[in-house]
Amino acid sequence: MENQHVCNNEHSLVFNEDERRGILCWACREPVLGPSYSCIKCNKFHHHKSCAELPRELQHPLHPKHSLFLFAEWKRVCNKEYSKCEVCKEFLEEYTYGCSHCNFNLHSKCASLPLTIETEVHDHPLTRMWKSIKFTCDLCGKEGNVPFLCAPCNFCIHPSCASYVRSVKVIRHDHILHLTISSLEVSQSVSRFCRLCVQKVDIDYGFYYCSICNFVAHLDCATDKENREDINLLKLTDESKNDDLELDGSINSKTYIVKKINVGEDGIEIATEIEHLSHEHDLKLTDEVENNKKCDGCLRVILPPFYSCTKCNFFLHKSCIELPRKKRHPLHRHPLNLLPKAPYRSKLFRCDACCQDCNGFTYHCEECNFDLDVQCSLMLDILIHKGHEHHLYLSNTRYEQSCSSCDFKSFQVYRCITCEFALDFKCATLPLTARYKQHEHPFTLSYAVEDDSGEYYCDICEEERDPKHWFYYCADCSYPTHPKCILGNYPNIKFGSAYSFYCHPHPLTFIEKTKDHPTCHKCGHPCIESIYQCAPCNFNLHRPCLWK
């Protein structure tokens, strides 16, 4: 069968009984699976059978005075206001029915919407009112113009709001959330803030609610794929609960094998020598302070008690060897696996919470290439921080939010529901104390300006500081500094580790910078910082050149 389609006059579309490639339909932009039409000469213009057979002319109740004619949206003048659909109010590259006399347009999908629907958001069938009228949606509280209506209940909603489900499970709450429309159904003490984005919720309209915990969430926040747990609510079993126990570390998920044990005077057994999955040699417990050494797990300054390798410059805090192999985190919908090194060519990763480069342990999702460094993986839904007087709640949004401590914009911050304070992961995980080169005193993380002089500078770079931003301060010496100046450009990277790559026969050592700026072996430009180097061969590579 052939179809000379109105929107593709130059091509005859040939019928295919069972299309399986999932190519997008030219008419509705949905995947084509099953009966279809396409042009076999150019392998283009794929259509669902129903889309290829759309009538060229249509009488529609929304525009009864004139006939509507089918045309391809991208063949019209690209004026979004001119060609906006009267139902969904969007400009999309879809086939559209239009009236050239009245500038009236309907997407082909919107023109064929059913007259009545069954939906989980209401107990009765809803009827489409084919009349353009302004109304306020009883579910989302926003204005619309072509509602679905239940006349006996005086209930009106947008067509898009009919797709909300009655119940949903989000990764950041233990219980199922239920769609709630009336504020009379909730406790008077319920928080007016969504616990997923930490923004206000108008409980006079629809929201998702857990009556056990007074947990409230916006409709869109609870159904967002990043927040929604990918499970069948009807098949919650004891087996899934056991999986959660294992992910929480409650079931044995050790990352090490004990080689030697000492028994203390109090009878407590202490592992003095272990084999850890992150290192080829055995590690021994030590209490000796190591100056300016970093833990290879969390990349923080090494402090007792810790385990070290007598053969290598390798250290692990006792807390880092006890990290579980698997865990769940409120920022990601899938379980995360602990990896000693990132599964990328450079052995580095960018933490998806704090947005900083890291080469320590990562909690990794292979399906999504999602990574969290150790410090961010320990952060939970609620944060108590010395830098703010109120509790802070994790806010994960589709739009960027500004950190009050540094003005960096991030999709994930900790927000205060009492005031407008917000804190990103980078600032939330700053060490409370730090040391700088040969300075004799430690620096303390400070949250308010040190005096009322009105002039605030960093004593390291000698540039001006923003008085609203956090800084490090040595009170003994009246010595203020930017966090970046005291922690360096790469606070979550341990330099000096060696890695094997296909591009060189010897392991390459990752170094921060060199004085002589050697030439990169691949691109020929000087290597200034973040260099992979084989000193005996005088072989140097920039980080980006690993991919060339």
Side-chain angles (χ1 to χ4, degrees):
M1 292 191 298
E2 290 190 2
N3 185 333
Q4 194 72 35
H5 199 271
V6 64
C7 295
N8 298 298
N9 294 324
E10 299 175 1
H11 301 261
S12 293
L13 305 184
V14 179
F15 181 68
N16 176 11
E17 289 187 0
D18 193 16
E19 171 63 55
R20 285 288 145 201
R21 290 174 292 174
I23 299 172
L24 294 185
C25 173
W26 276 62
C28 67
R29 313 308 293 171
E30 298 288 340
V32 178
L33 295 170
S36 67
Y37 281 90
S38 64
C39 176
I40 59 174
K41 292 182 180 180
C42 61
N43 195 29
K44 288 184 178 180
F45 306 113
H46 296 270
H47 292 73
H48 296 102
K49 181 176 182 293
S50 58
C51 292
E53 296 173 352
L54 286 169
R56 299 190 180 197
E57 185 177 344
L58 182 71
Q59 297 292 329
H60 198 278
L62 266 182
H63 195 70
K65 44 185 184 176
H66 299 125
S67 296
L68 304 180
F69 293 92
L70 185 66
F71 61 89
E73 185 66 71
W74 54 88
K75 289 188 177 180
R76 282 292 276 278
V77 177
C78 274
N79 184 319
K80 294 188 178 183
E81 201 56 42
Y82 174 76
S83 52
K84 187 163 58 175
C85 174
E86 291 295 326
V87 171
C88 68
K89 295 300 181 183
E90 292 185 6
F91 172 86
L92 301 172
E93 290 189 346
E94 298 179 8
Y95 284 3
T96 301
Y97 284 98
C99 173
S100 57
H101 300 291
C102 307
N103 186 24
F104 181 93
N105 302 281
L106 287 179
H107 290 136
S108 57
K109 285 191 294 187
C110 294
S112 59
L113 288 170
L115 294 177
T116 61
I117 60 167
E118 299 279 349
T119 175
E120 293 187 34
V121 304
H122 194 65
D123 293 335
H124 307 138
L126 301 179
T127 302
R128 178 179 295 278
M129 181 179 287
W130 282 118
K131 185 106 177 143
S132 185
I133 59 169
K134 283 192 175 181
F135 74 101
T136 300
C137 177
D138 288 316
L139 201 57
C140 71
K142 298 176 183 177
E143 286 191 353
N145 67 320
V146 182
F148 272 124
L149 171 68
C150 176
C153 302
N154 194 26
F155 180 79
C156 291
I157 62 170
H158 297 112
S160 58
C161 289
S163 62
Y164 286 116
V165 293
R166 195 180 302 275
S167 301
V168 66
K169 175 72 173 64
V170 297
I171 60 175
R172 288 170 56 184
H173 192 64
D174 293 335
H175 307 127
I176 294 173
L177 305 182
H178 299 283
L179 181 64
T180 306
I181 297 177
S182 173
S183 59
L184 299 176
E185 299 179 34
V186 304
S187 166
Q188 294 301 309
S189 62
V190 67
S191 168
R192 298 297 180 97
F193 284 83
C194 171
R195 291 293 298 273
L196 300 176
C197 72
V198 199
Q199 303 286 349
K200 286 185 177 180
V201 175
D202 187 346
I203 62 173
D204 290 332
Y205 295 97
F207 54 94
Y208 283 99
Y209 178 58
C210 170
S211 59
I212 301 172
C213 311
N214 278 345
F215 185 102
V216 175
H218 288 120
L219 298 173
D220 288 339
C221 290
T223 54
D224 188 287
K225 69 175 184 177
E226 296 297 325
N227 293 325
R228 187 171 179 174
E229 193 147 9
D230 190 17
I231 59 173
N232 186 334
L233 298 183
L234 300 177
K235 295 183 178 180
L236 289 175
T237 63
D238 291 336
E239 183 179 347
S240 66
K241 294 177 182 177
N242 289 335
D243 290 342
D244 286 340
L245 285 174
E246 183 177 356
L247 289 167
D248 290 336
S250 301
I251 291 178
N252 185 8
S253 60
K254 286 186 176 180
T255 57
Y256 63 96
I257 299 172
V258 176
K259 292 294 190 74
K260 290 183 181 179
I261 293 177
N262 278 354
V263 180
E265 296 179 358
D266 52 5
I268 297 177
E269 294 184 346
I270 302 173
T272 57
E273 188 172 336
I274 63 168
E275 175 187 329
H276 194 268
L277 63 83
S278 63
H279 195 64
E280 57 184 327
H281 306 131
D282 290 347
L283 307 176
K284 294 185 178 181
L285 182 67
T286 179
D287 288 329
E288 297 179 6
V289 176
E290 293 278 351
N291 291 328
N292 300 319
K293 300 292 185 181
K294 282 187 174 183
C295 171
D296 284 83
C298 66
L299 281 306
R300 291 296 168 90
V301 174
I302 199 73
L303 295 170
F306 64 93
Y307 290 85
S308 64
C309 176
T310 57
K311 301 178 181 179
C312 311
N313 183 34
F314 188 89
F315 306 92
L316 280 182
H317 287 122
K318 184 174 182 294
S319 58
C320 288
I321 73 156
E322 294 170 349
L323 292 168
R325 285 179 181 266
K326 291 185 178 183
K327 72 183 306 180
R328 289 192 182 275
H329 194 274
L331 284 182
H332 197 65
R333 65 191 307 210
H334 301 131
L336 304 175
N337 295 302
L338 180 66
L339 300 180
K341 287 298 174 189
Y344 310 117
R345 184 177 297 178
S346 66
K347 309 304 179 186
L348 276 74
F349 66 94
R350 174 155 290 189
C351 175
D352 283 285
C354 67
C355 302
Q356 296 188 103
D357 290 341
C358 180
N359 64 347
F361 290 178
T362 171
Y363 273 102
H364 176 74
C365 174
E366 184 176 2
E367 181 177 345
C368 308
N369 276 346
F370 179 90
D371 292 279
L372 289 180
D373 64 35
V374 171
Q375 293 297 327
C376 292
S377 76
L378 300 175
M379 303 289 284
L380 302 177
D381 273 24
I382 301 176
L383 174 66
I384 300 174
H385 199 284
K386 291 183 178 180
H388 192 67
E389 58 185 322
H390 307 128
H391 285 36
L392 302 174
Y393 297 86
L394 179 58
S395 169
N396 189 13
T397 61
R398 287 291 183 180
Y399 54 88
E400 291 184 323
Q401 307 176 73
S402 293
C403 173
S404 302
S405 164
C406 67
D407 285 338
F408 182 77
K409 294 184 182 297
S410 174
F411 297 103
Q412 305 96 11
V413 299
Y414 282 90
R415 295 193 66 86
C416 177
I417 62 174
T418 305
C419 55
E420 293 298 317
F421 185 85
L423 193 63
D424 67 10
F425 271 76
K426 177 172 60 66
C427 292
T429 56
L430 284 172
L432 299 181
T433 60
R435 287 194 171 273
Y436 180 69
K437 294 185 176 179
Q438 304 304 317
H439 194 86
E440 60 178 324
H441 308 123
F443 288 77
T444 302
L445 185 62
S446 301
Y447 318 109
V449 293
E450 65 275 21
D451 55 44
D452 57 358
S453 65
E455 294 184 358
Y456 306 104
Y457 291 86
C458 170
D459 281 357
I460 294 178
C461 69
E462 298 183 348
E463 292 184 3
E464 193 171 0
R465 290 185 292 115
D466 189 323
K468 300 190 300 293
H469 292 175
W470 290 0
F471 63 101
Y472 281 97
Y473 188 61
C474 173
D476 294 316
C477 306
S478 298
Y479 196 113
T481 74
H482 291 119
K484 185 175 182 179
C485 289
I486 199 166
L487 298 177
N489 291 327
Y490 307 101
N492 289 351
I493 288 180
K494 180 175 179 178
F495 292 97
S497 299
Y499 307 103
S500 295
F501 300 108
Y502 73 94
C503 58
H504 192 71
H506 307 136
L508 301 182
T509 302
F510 190 44
I511 61 176
E512 184 171 8
K513 62 179 69 174
T514 61
K515 295 180 180 179
D516 52 353
H517 304 326
T519 300
C520 175
H521 182 79
K522 284 285 180 70
C523 69
H525 295 294
C527 293
I528 299 174
E529 59 181 14
S530 296
I531 309 160
Y532 292 93
Q533 183 180 78
C534 176
C537 301
N538 193 26
F539 182 91
N540 302 277
L541 273 183
H542 293 118
R543 278 175 54 190
C545 289
L546 279 174
W547 285 269
K548 294 182 179 179

